Amino acid sequence: MKNFVVKTIANAAALAAAIWLLKGITLRGETTAAKALTLLGVALVFGLVNFLVKPVVKLLSFPLFILTLGLITLVINALMLLLTSWLADRLDLAFHVAGFGSALVGGVIISIVAWAMHMILPDDKD
């Protein structure tokens, strides 16, 4: 359970950084509390997408992974962010990614910040 909470907090921080740095990724809310709750909801959706969908996509794209020397991972991360945006829209969460370019750069930002947050925050292995 602790690992799930840590991953959700790391995802929320990474998403917040991408929202703050990019104009193409937006999060709306009337109050700061509403924005924080929306961000946590989006972080949960993003975590589920990365847990359920991403492994299947990575497995199916393994030949492309070898062919592109791993650069296809950037595209997969962008697609996972776009899928999160689509699901957030269906769940009435005020989160939107404007296009593939924003998703590509956002995916890089989210990967870097999430990695840093996982290094800082404790997990079950400690």
Side-chain angles (χ1 to χ4, degrees):
M1 182 67 177
K2 182 179 174 185
N3 194 25
F4 173 75
V5 172
V6 168
K7 285 183 185 266
T8 302
I9 291 170
N11 281 339
L15 286 163
I19 291 164
W20 182 61
L21 290 170
L22 297 174
K23 291 181 182 178
I25 301 176
T26 57
L27 179 79
R28 293 180 314 278
E30 297 196 12
T31 64
T32 303
K35 285 183 181 179
L37 287 174
T38 302
L39 184 62
L40 282 175
V42 171
L44 287 171
V45 171
F46 187 67
L48 283 173
V49 165
N50 281 330
F51 180 72
L52 297 173
V53 178
K54 192 173 184 179
V56 175
V57 172
K58 285 180 92 171
L59 179 67
L60 295 175
S61 65
F62 185 70
L64 288 174
F65 184 82
I66 292 173
L67 186 65
T68 63
L69 302 175
L71 290 177
I72 192 69
T73 304
L74 297 173
V75 174
I76 293 171
N77 289 342
L79 293 174
M80 295 304 109
L81 191 55
L82 286 170
L83 179 60
T84 300
S85 176
W86 181 80
L87 288 171
D89 183 47
R90 297 296 177 259
L91 296 171
D92 290 328
L93 295 171
F95 175 76
H96 181 69
V97 179
F100 185 77
S102 295
L104 188 66
V105 176
V108 171
I109 292 169
I110 290 169
S111 295
I112 292 169
V113 174
W115 170 81
M117 291 299 293
H118 287 296
M119 297 303 290
I120 294 169
L121 294 172
D123 60 5
D124 287 340
K125 296 177 186 122
D126 291 342

